[in-house]
Amino acid sequence: MGGVAVVMRHADALAVRGHEVSVIEPTRPAGALRAVAVSARDRLHGVSGQRAHVAAHARVRRVRQVDTASVGTQDVVVATGYQTVPWVEALSRGCGRPVLFAQHDERVLNPRQSHRWWNTTMPRIAVSEWLCARLGDAGKPCLGVVPNAIDPSRFHVTSPLESRPEAVIALYHRHPAKGPETLVSALREIRSQRPAARPTVVSSRRPSHRLPEGVRILLRPSRDELVADLNRSSIVLHTAQLEGWGLFPMEAAACGCAVVATASLGPREYLRPDVSMVEVPVGDGEAIGREAVRLLAEPDRRIPLATSAVADVARFSWEASHDRFEQFLDRVVTEAP
């Protein structure tokens, strides 16, 4: 999950800057049972259970449950998702000032369990301008925005845009908010109209949805494998219904892919419709497929879009985002009553 990668990156950056940073991971009995089930599912799908994102510099603390005793005395305790909000709210005041790092409108991900995330009174830091505005409009203002970025030493163009094959790539996730059915519809349209354009779908496990024949499935590629595949692709599809940010199309754009995305808000944080991406209505898989086919047939349109996208995503840097995150945490501590 991209949100986990972002949390780990900020944690490591703060640790490198001299802060004492702990990533607290609960290992409660129910969680242990779930871990066994997930491990069994991974073996069934033929993928490694190895963690995709680890903290190289921050300290990972595995605790039986998140409580005052296990957390101890901190300056700040950051809630990172709707599941963590009740834990942070239940901590005593001596554990540190609470703050929520909001990476999505999590009511979309779990409408039944995210009400405390939405109603919490702790200060918020948002990952995107649209999310910060939505919170503010609802009377739940945030301290500010800490945008995501990409690592240009990893995600960059290695293959000329002019000589790329008719290749399309997309990220699959089974959650309805990620638009898996929209993706299937888009892939069908592409396979029907452009049979030579063999799409690749990147996924953490075997897709739950039946993909069209001829679609290549890439399971948990290494970072180098992913960058190589992105540089072999001409177009990336993004089919989410609502997206907090959308790291995958950003990474693909940095590697020279033209972006065809739903109007899911996230990609607009770093790309511009009709300038550095093609935007279509949410849920319209056929429109995504048609636009992808059109770009494959019109390199004179695809290449300028991709070139502009490379420049647009280069405006963001992790160092600048770490600076902002650190400044907001300082405010939480210094301005606390």
Side-chain angles (χ1 to χ4, degrees):
M1 296 177 64
V4 177
V6 170
V7 167
M8 291 299 190
R9 183 175 282 273
H10 283 306
D12 268 352
L14 291 172
V16 168
R17 293 178 179 208
H19 300 283
E20 293 183 8
V21 182
S22 294
V23 178
I24 298 176
E25 178 179 313
T27 57
R28 297 170 298 172
L33 292 174
R34 183 177 184 277
V36 171
V38 170
S39 178
R41 183 175 61 181
D42 284 347
R43 290 196 299 273
L44 179 65
H45 285 262
V47 296
S48 167
Q50 184 177 359
R51 295 170 185 234
H53 311 292
V54 296
H57 303 283
R59 177 189 176 195
V60 177
R61 293 170 50 196
R62 295 182 175 87
V63 301
R64 190 168 184 83
Q65 64 181 33
V66 181
D67 57 20
T68 298
S70 63
V71 172
T73 302
Q74 312 293 330
D75 291 311
V76 181
V77 181
V78 182
T80 58
Y82 72 87
Q83 304 95 328
T84 67
V85 168
W87 300 339
V88 175
E89 286 181 332
L91 298 175
S92 72
R93 195 172 184 82
C95 284
R97 302 295 178 183
V99 61
L100 171 61
F101 182 36
Q103 299 190 67
H104 206 325
D105 185 341
E106 302 211 19
R107 298 174 299 174
V108 175
L109 302 179
N110 194 319
R112 291 185 300 174
Q113 297 183 22
S114 59
H115 62 281
R116 289 185 70 171
W117 174 92
W118 180 251
N119 293 317
T120 185
T121 59
M122 70 177 73
R124 307 167 199 256
I125 300 168
V127 76
S128 54
E129 296 287 352
W130 78 259
L131 181 56
C132 189
R134 176 170 293 189
L135 291 168
D137 290 344
K140 308 173 190 301
C142 61
L143 297 173
V145 176
V146 176
N148 289 333
I150 51 95
D151 183 348
S153 68
R154 287 183 174 270
F155 294 99
H156 58 273
V157 175
T158 63
S159 174
L161 275 58
E162 297 80 4
S163 59
R164 297 205 177 183
E166 291 191 5
V168 177
I169 195 166
L171 181 68
Y172 169 87
H173 194 289
R174 65 179 182 174
H175 195 288
K178 296 296 184 179
E181 294 181 354
T182 303
L183 176 59
V184 172
S185 177
L187 294 172
R188 285 177 181 157
E189 183 72 14
I190 293 169
R191 292 292 292 141
S192 171
Q193 300 299 322
R194 205 87 174 179
R198 295 253 170 158
T200 294
V201 167
V202 180
S203 181
S204 61
R205 297 183 179 87
R206 289 283 171 186
S208 304
H209 294 74
R210 185 175 180 179
L211 302 183
E213 187 176 346
V215 175
R216 171 179 170 243
I217 300 173
L218 187 60
L219 293 178
R220 298 195 190 186
S222 69
R223 188 61 57 85
D224 290 342
E225 290 172 332
L226 177 59
V227 170
D229 262 277
L230 292 175
N231 271 276
R232 284 192 289 264
S233 301
S234 294
I235 297 169
V236 62
L237 311 178
H238 180 70
T239 60
Q241 295 180 3
L242 184 68
E243 190 68 76
W245 181 271
L247 278 174
F248 189 78
M250 188 182 200
E251 293 166 348
C255 292
C257 294
V259 179
V260 181
T262 53
S264 53
L265 299 182
R268 279 201 175 199
E269 295 289 314
Y270 48 88
L271 296 175
R272 295 166 291 164
D274 300 323
V275 177
S276 52
M277 72 168 171
V278 175
E279 190 176 75
V280 302
V282 169
D284 196 340
E286 290 185 0
I288 292 178
R290 287 195 303 270
E291 290 294 344
V293 168
R294 181 182 173 191
L295 289 178
L296 290 173
E298 301 176 8
D300 289 345
R301 182 165 173 257
R302 170 183 62 84
I303 293 171
L305 279 170
T307 302
S308 296
V310 171
D312 278 357
V313 300
R315 295 175 297 131
F316 299 86
S317 80
W318 279 119
E319 280 303 307
S321 292
H322 298 325
D323 287 343
R324 292 177 64 84
F325 197 77
E326 187 177 31
Q327 291 164 7
F328 288 138
L329 295 185
D330 282 340
R331 280 182 55 187
V332 171
V333 174
T334 59
E335 296 180 7

